[in-house]
Amino acid sequence: MAITNIYTGDGCPHVILSTETNNSMPRMKPCYYVPHLPQHPLDASPIGRLESIPDGVRAYVPDPLPRSLALPPGVVYLLDEASREVATLAGVGETLLNPRLLIAPFLRLEAVLSSRIEGTQASLSDIYVFEAGASEPPDAREVWNCVQAVEHGLARLDSLPISQRLLLELHALLLAGVRGGDLRPGELRSRQVWIAAPGTPVERARFVPPPAPALPDLLADWERFVHDQGPLPPLVRAALMHYQFEAIHPFIDGNGRIGRLLIPLLLAERGVLRTPLLYLSAYFERRRPEYYDQLLALSHSGDWTPWLRFFLLGVRDQARDALRRARTLRDLHEHYRALLTERRAAASVFQLLDELWIRPVFTRRHAADRLGVTVAATRAIIDRLQAAGIVAPVPDTYPQLFRADELLAALE
């Protein structure tokens, strides 16, 4: 048996144990256990069962998800609030002349925060520096992979619905060329893993995902639930889908990030929020201990109400925050356009202004590529943005980086 001890430095220690030898270091991430719960909290779970596996360990196997739920008044009230906020946000996205001006920064913000839950330290600025090709800050590629996975998933929805096949594609992109990239990217796990504090005996592990042979059937029902046309409201369906995916834990690494990016994919597929402007990872990251407590407590109690309240509160709050940020970014864009109009800037300057919302940190080469002009021609264009106070050179960088500081501040 291979035992890998991990300590994240955030007060949340781990040990991942496997019946196969594994010399690679898994992604360090917050733990999936609730320290104050009794020793085997899942023994009496009403929504799953414990199944014996080798070495005297029992794995948790969740039951199929319910296709309907009786929602208590408090949840109905929160659902109504959250749905109205998401509808307002959807309206903003649908009325944008160029939705990319909001989609690109919001996707990157979601990727940064979702990856941060898993222990990465890269900031939004780091991702833009990485995209500019100037350097590779620590963890930047992992976050960039998350961006690529979300964008791929959204693009694939036109031809491929949310499915096991899409999960494997997303997972392969997520782990490509990074730590964990040797842990079967794009494949379901074939071995048993479990999670517990360092030094904890195997039989006292806090959470043990289902055995690998159970994964195909579990994911098949999960997929049927995602596409079920029953009475569950889309936001409730998203909450149940996310819980079940985390409980199944189908991959050796990357489960949390895949599980969170599935939320905007489901809302897009259901037509609830076709413009992916909702970034729930900000809420989960702020309330990280409660997020993990709620997931495991649900497996323990079988009571959907606390998890639904937690999830819907996050949807409501993050929809409001996204709406505020969207208006701030739109107002800033309009302000810059008015400023450049007063200065009688050329069309190419306005074109580069729009590109700042996609890439607020850039080089002259990137500007030239985006505008379809020579590098020499970009000098005059960038000079106009500098003169207007919209961008500024980043000191001591080669190739020379330019950065839109006010825009980055609005995003971060």
Side-chain angles (χ1 to χ4, degrees):
M1 178 181 298
I3 301 178
T4 303
N5 289 290
I6 305 174
Y7 188 76
T8 64
D10 60 358
C12 187
H14 299 64
V15 57
I16 296 183
L17 307 100
S18 168
T19 54
E20 296 180 12
T21 300
N22 176 23
N23 295 322
S24 55
M25 178 66 72
R27 150 65 50 206
M28 294 184 289
K29 54 189 165 185
C31 43
Y32 279 76
Y33 67 86
V34 184
H36 62 271
L37 288 177
Q39 194 53 60
H40 293 288
L42 301 177
D43 276 334
S45 173
I47 58 171
R49 68 184 189 280
L50 289 174
E51 182 175 306
S52 294
I53 57 177
D55 300 313
V57 177
R58 291 183 296 165
Y60 180 72
V61 181
D63 291 339
L65 285 166
R67 271 41 176 184
S68 63
L69 279 178
L71 303 178
V75 171
V76 172
Y77 178 79
L78 264 179
L79 174 62
D80 181 61
E81 280 195 317
S83 299
R84 282 188 282 111
E85 297 295 344
V86 170
T88 302
L89 187 60
V92 170
E94 290 171 2
T95 56
L96 290 172
L97 293 178
N98 186 356
R100 285 202 319 153
L101 297 184
L102 288 183
I103 292 175
F106 277 33
L107 283 185
R108 282 151 182 78
L109 185 60
E110 167 66 19
V112 166
L113 294 170
S114 183
S115 300
R116 190 172 296 166
I117 294 173
E118 306 300 324
T120 66
Q121 301 300 316
S123 67
L124 189 59
S125 294
D126 289 336
I127 302 312
Y128 286 124
V129 168
F130 174 76
E131 288 187 60
S135 66
E136 186 169 331
D139 300 328
R141 185 172 295 277
E142 295 184 45
V143 179
W144 173 241
N145 281 2
C146 196
V147 173
Q148 296 287 89
V150 178
E151 291 181 337
H152 177 80
L154 290 167
R156 286 288 273 153
L157 288 180
D158 291 335
S159 57
L160 180 67
I162 296 175
S163 57
Q164 182 174 318
R165 179 181 168 189
L166 182 59
L167 290 179
L168 298 181
E169 290 182 9
L170 298 176
H171 190 255
L173 286 170
L174 186 69
L175 295 187
V178 299
R179 287 174 295 178
D182 55 345
L183 298 179
R184 302 179 64 112
E187 298 180 43
L188 299 180
R189 58 179 170 87
S190 61
R191 63 173 181 259
Q192 183 66 53
V193 297
W194 52 91
I195 304 171
T200 303
V202 175
E203 63 273 12
R204 296 181 60 193
R206 295 290 184 170
F207 184 78
V208 183
L215 296 180
D217 287 344
L218 290 170
L219 287 172
D221 181 75
W222 176 86
E223 187 174 331
R224 286 192 294 270
F225 171 83
V226 168
H227 298 291
D228 182 72
Q229 297 301 312
L232 286 177
L235 292 179
V236 173
R237 189 174 300 277
L240 270 62
M241 172 200 70
H242 181 65
Y243 159 77
Q244 190 79 344
F245 183 85
E246 298 301 327
I248 294 172
H249 205 79
F251 303 113
I252 296 176
D253 189 33
N255 295 281
R257 284 164 288 172
I258 296 292
R260 286 184 290 275
L261 72 83
L262 284 168
I263 297 170
L265 292 187
L266 178 67
L267 297 183
E269 186 176 73
R270 290 270 168 165
V272 175
L273 189 61
R274 296 189 185 278
T275 308
L277 301 179
L278 185 67
Y279 44 95
L280 268 180
S281 289
Y283 174 78
F284 293 148
E285 204 276 331
R286 282 197 311 273
R287 303 175 67 169
R288 189 187 306 184
E290 185 179 0
Y291 172 48
Y292 288 112
D293 284 0
Q294 289 283 358
L295 286 171
L296 188 59
L298 172 55
S299 298
H300 175 237
S301 69
D303 184 0
W304 293 99
T305 297
W307 167 246
L308 287 174
R309 283 176 176 159
F310 177 79
F311 185 90
L312 293 172
L313 184 63
V315 171
R316 185 199 68 183
D317 290 353
Q318 288 310 126
R320 288 174 178 172
D321 185 77
L323 185 60
R324 177 185 61 79
R325 288 178 188 262
R327 287 169 175 163
T328 297
L329 293 174
R330 182 184 60 192
D331 291 347
L332 185 61
H333 186 258
E334 291 175 355
H335 169 67
Y336 285 162
R337 288 190 66 86
L339 192 62
L340 293 174
T341 299
E342 289 177 3
R343 294 167 177 257
R344 299 186 178 183
S348 56
V349 180
F350 286 95
Q351 187 180 351
L352 185 55
L353 173 67
D354 287 352
E355 288 298 323
L356 293 180
W357 263 248
I358 313 300
R359 182 171 285 169
V361 180
F362 63 96
T363 63
R364 288 190 178 93
R365 167 53 62 190
H366 283 109
D369 291 343
R370 299 302 295 178
L371 299 180
V373 299
T374 65
V375 173
T378 65
R379 292 183 180 275
I381 298 170
I382 296 172
D383 284 347
R384 296 300 295 270
L385 292 179
Q386 278 189 253
I390 296 173
V391 303
V394 180
D396 303 321
T397 56
Y398 182 82
Q400 179 66 62
L401 287 177
F402 297 87
R403 184 171 59 206
D405 288 323
E406 190 175 13
L407 173 55
L408 279 171
L411 288 170
E412 293 184 318

